[in-house]
Amino acid sequence: MSRTNNLNITNKKNGIDRKLKKNLWGYFFVLPEMVIFLIFVIIPILRGLSFSFLNYNVSGSTWVGLQNFADVFKDDIFWIALKNTSIYTVLVVPGGVGVALMLSWLIFPLSPKLQAFFKAAYYLPGVISGVVVALVWKWIMDPETGLLNYALSFIGLGPYPWLSHPDTALYSLVLIAIMGGQGAAVIIITANMGAIPASLYEAARIDGSSAWHQFRHITLPLLRPTLLYLFVVGMIGSYQVFESVYVLTGGGPYYSTTTIAYLIYSSAFDFFEFGKASAAATVLFVTIFILSLIQFYVFREDKK
Amino acid sequence: MMNTSNRLQRSPGIALAAMAKIAVYALLTAWALAILFPIYWMFLTSLKPGSMVLDVPPQLIPLKVTLQNFKEIFDTAPVARWFLNSVIVTVAVTSGALISDSMAGYTYSLIKPTGYRIFFFMILGCMMIPDQIRIVPLFIMLKDLNWYNTYAGLIVPFMGSAIGMFLMRQYMSTLPIELMEAAKVEGCNEFKIFTRIVLPLSKPVIAVVAITSFVGNWNGFLWPLILTSSTDMRTLPVGIASLQVQFVTNYGIMMAGAAIAAIPVILIFFMFQKYFAKGITLGAVKE
């Protein structure tokens, strides 16, 4: 009796020891990542949120309540930037996903070798730095010596001052973004197309449905989660568009390409308005968060 | 496969089917040419003699090739130093991230200590939050640490990546747990299991994370722009962007600078192509 009891206790103790040991090892292995994230990501995020309510000063910050937000919302340029960023996103994300979807649909039936070839070609521009890509487009879109206006002159168009006119600058940035190749989206879409059971298409074929019909009623609905992913990730990225603006237009002409991310950067590092920049960043964060939720909602509802 | 052959058979007649096929290839090739042309144009311009860059009509094929633009940019701007900075920062960040991401990935996939989900989702959640919210606080913090405009400031804060950690976890959860249990029975501790079993088995995902991290950091712009002040501390993207002021529309030289920043990642792309596709699908395809 007492012997089995003892054994039970030691077993239990061993179990607790093992659990403790396991936990300690587990925490040990996450330690480097957690330290980096805590110090350089999580704390700065929290401080960034709190700066929104402070008048930051090296010698001591003062609490100003919602004053920074009032400053942001009173600023006409903020609303222009929000409008520009939204136009940019509404064109770049659906435009890019649309192009990628079409390319994927055309590529998918090809032989694996050809598929791999086109995917590699479409992905290549995506590995090159946004700064490099922007500089090349600056040269192509140069109003006097650029190749684009030269090419258009043959069909009697132009010359257009692509990046230096308020009517065209933002749309030039949209064009450059979509011309990024869409390789990553094509790779994701075709991979998910491969997961659609072939039997569905066979059944549809027996019913005599057209290729378009199959695309509309099998491919598209089953790709919904993939498209949701691409829309959300694309939206998050494009609401933060910065590099092409910084390199190509500096937000101009006449604020026509000032995006929220560029405005935040310039109020922080051109004007040193840290509180206002942080408040604008908080607004950007909330905007992105709400837009993500809306997209989840829209895509989920349609599922029925 | 069956899908298209069917699509084509449906068209009335073989001629039409062939035409449809040609149209598909034409469209796919046209897009490839359109998006690759800027890269070709960059290299072509960078190799032209300065006097030919602005020729009308523009030369679309290399008639006269020279390295004059490259020589000039190395002579007039500290491009070599920027290149070195980019190498140092990228290699250090990637190595650090590989260590912290793989270790964290091991915890989240195989050890799973009490409460690990909180850490896991906290790190993943950070991906949803725009960088702009951190630019002011991180800038101030690094100034306070005297890390502003130093290698440490460009490296240490970025030695861990949520995506890298996530990819590691995804891959490691597919490893056979029996192997690790057997090792435990034989008296290996977790550290030995990690270094002797898990890491060697995770080579494919380590390659994926290494390459995506390398390319991402090589191309990084916002942080080095904010966290450096002297010309000598710039990385290549920040450096060549700043050359615009100096060379304005001297496109031959500008394209040489752009090419220098682009060549390493293009080479890496051609050498490790399969890992790029793997990295994208590992993160975004449900299996």
Side-chain angles (χ1 to χ4, degrees), chain B residues 152-184:
Chain B
L154 291 173
I155 293 168
V156 180
F158 309 101
M159 291 206 305
S161 118
I163 306 167
M165 178 278 287
F166 181 71
L167 294 180
M168 295 277 191
R169 188 201 82 119
Q170 291 300 85
Y171 189 86
M172 288 175 181
S173 353
T174 66
L175 297 179
I177 196 135
E178 297 81 20
L179 261 179
M180 287 136 233
E181 270 161 12
K184 235 178 254 174

Side-chain angles (χ1 to χ4, degrees), chain B residues 241-280:
Chain B
S242 72
L243 287 183
Q244 280 193 96
V245 182
Q246 194 176 344
F247 295 110
V248 203
T249 53
N250 190 336
Y251 289 117
I253 289 184
M254 289 304 300
M255 291 304 103
I260 293 165
I263 288 168
V265 279
I266 293 177
L267 287 180
I268 284 180
F269 176 74
F270 281 117
M271 283 190 286
F272 303 105
Q273 243 187 72
K274 62 173 179 175
Y275 293 110
F276 283 95
K278 222 185 221 164
I280 298 164

Side-chain angles (χ1 to χ4, degrees), chain A residues 22-23 26-27 29 33 39-40 44 56 109 122 127 129 136 138-139 142 147 150 181 188 205 211 240 247 261, chain B residues 1 4 6-7 28 31 37-38 41 45 57-58 100-101 103 107 111 113-114 132 134 137 140-141 219 244 251 280:
Chain A
K22 191 181 106 162
N23 281 348
Y27 301 141
F29 277 103
E33 185 103 347
I39 298 176
F40 298 109
Y56 179 83
Y122 299 162
V127 301
S129 133
V136 180
K138 187 190 178 196
W139 164 213
D142 187 291
L147 203 57
Y150 177 77
I188 292 171
R205 212 159 54 218
Q240 298 179 56
V247 174
Chain B
M1 279 298 279
T4 10
N6 183 50
R7 195 154 77 212
L28 292 174
W31 180 253
F37 179 78
W41 190 232
T45 308
S100 62
D101 293 350
M103 285 176 72
T107 287
I111 307 184
T114 314
Q132 279 74 26
R134 286 199 293 148
I140 292 172
M141 178 190 278
N219 294 338
Q244 280 193 96
Y251 289 117
I280 298 164

Side-chain angles (χ1 to χ4, degrees), chain B:
Chain B
M1 279 298 279
M2 287 174 79
N3 194 0
T4 10
S5 54
N6 183 50
R7 195 154 77 212
L8 297 177
Q9 271 161 29
R10 299 196 62 79
S11 337
I14 298 164
L16 245 167
M19 266 168 67
K21 207 166 185 175
I22 290 170
V24 166
Y25 286 130
L27 208 65
L28 292 174
T29 310
W31 180 253
L33 291 177
I35 59 163
L36 292 175
F37 179 78
I39 301 169
Y40 171 74
W41 190 232
M42 167 185 78
F43 282 119
L44 187 64
T45 308
S46 73
L47 293 169
K48 279 181 186 175
S51 57
M52 284 172 74
V53 169
L54 296 178
D55 273 358
V56 179
Q59 299 294 345
L60 293 175
I61 43 165
L63 290 177
K64 212 169 157 196
V65 168
T66 163
L67 291 176
Q68 183 193 318
N69 290 319
F70 288 88
K71 191 185 166 325
E72 203 162 325
I73 198 173
F74 274 106
D75 286 347
T76 50
V79 176
R81 175 67 196 257
W82 297 339
F83 195 95
L84 180 73
N85 290 345
S86 274
V87 171
I88 291 172
V89 170
T90 306
V91 169
V93 169
T94 300
S95 320
L98 277 180
I99 294 170
S100 62
D101 293 350
S102 63
M103 285 176 72
Y106 178 48
T107 287
Y108 298 136
S109 59
L110 295 164
I111 307 184
K112 297 185 179 168
T114 314
Y116 77 97
R117 283 197 180 85
I118 302 171
F119 300 127
F120 180 67
F121 286 112
M122 210 155 74
I123 291 179
L124 276 193
C126 292
M127 280 203 294
M128 286 281 296
I129 297 170
D131 273 348
Q132 279 74 26
I133 215 154
R134 286 199 293 148
I135 58 177
V136 169
L138 202 57
F139 170 78
I140 292 172
M141 178 190 278
L142 295 186
K143 277 218 144 170
D144 289 346
L145 285 170
N146 280 327
W147 276 6
Y148 178 68
N149 202 37
T150 66
Y151 286 123
L154 291 173
I155 293 168
V156 180
F158 309 101
M159 291 206 305
S161 118
I163 306 167
M165 178 278 287
F166 181 71
L167 294 180
M168 295 277 191
R169 188 201 82 119
Q170 291 300 85
Y171 189 86
M172 288 175 181
S173 353
T174 66
L175 297 179
I177 196 135
E178 297 81 20
L179 261 179
M180 287 136 233
E181 270 161 12
K184 235 178 254 174
V185 171
E186 284 182 25
C188 283
N189 63 23
E190 296 282 358
F191 192 77
K192 257 191 183 154
I193 295 176
F194 177 67
T195 51
R196 303 260 173 91
I197 300 175
V198 175
L199 282 186
L201 287 175
S202 302
K203 269 183 201 151
V205 77
I206 292 172
V208 168
V209 174
I211 288 161
T212 40
S213 165
F214 188 94
V215 171
N217 284 294
W218 182 268
N219 294 338
F221 182 67
L222 180 66
W223 292 115
L225 175 72
I226 292 168
L227 301 177
T228 59
S229 57
S230 67
T231 314
D232 270 357
M233 281 310 294
R234 285 176 188 154
T235 57
L236 258 182
V238 180
I240 58 165
S242 72
L243 287 183
Q244 280 193 96
V245 182
Q246 194 176 344
F247 295 110
V248 203
T249 53
N250 190 336
Y251 289 117
I253 289 184
M254 289 304 300
M255 291 304 103
I260 293 165
I263 288 168
V265 279
I266 293 177
L267 287 180
I268 284 180
F269 176 74
F270 281 117
M271 283 190 286
F272 303 105
Q273 243 187 72
K274 62 173 179 175
Y275 293 110
F276 283 95
K278 222 185 221 164
I280 298 164
T281 48
L282 250 176
V285 181
K286 279 212 182 113
E287 288 175 55

Side-chain angles (χ1 to χ4, degrees), chain A residues 206-224:
Chain A
I206 291 164
D207 290 346
S209 70
S210 66
W212 167 249
H213 199 81
Q214 289 177 27
F215 176 74
R216 175 73 189 77
H217 294 282
I218 301 172
T219 317
L220 213 49
L222 287 172
L223 283 179
R224 195 173 301 270

Side-chain angles (χ1 to χ4, degrees), chain A residues 68-140:
Chain A
N68 290 323
F69 289 97
D71 288 347
V72 168
F73 291 134
K74 256 191 299 194
D75 187 355
D76 290 339
I77 298 164
F78 170 78
W79 295 105
I80 294 171
L82 187 64
K83 193 187 90 190
N84 289 340
T85 315
S86 301
I87 292 174
Y88 178 88
T89 302
V90 162
L91 294 174
V92 167
V93 179
V97 174
V99 168
L101 190 61
M102 193 191 72
L103 294 170
S104 305
W105 188 51
L106 295 175
I107 278 179
F108 189 65
L110 303 182
S111 72
K113 252 194 185 151
L114 268 174
Q115 273 197 48
F117 171 77
F118 281 118
K119 281 182 204 167
Y122 299 162
Y123 193 65
L124 179 59
V127 301
I128 294 172
S129 133
V131 172
V132 169
V133 172
L135 288 174
V136 180
W137 278 101
K138 187 190 178 196
W139 164 213
I140 292 174

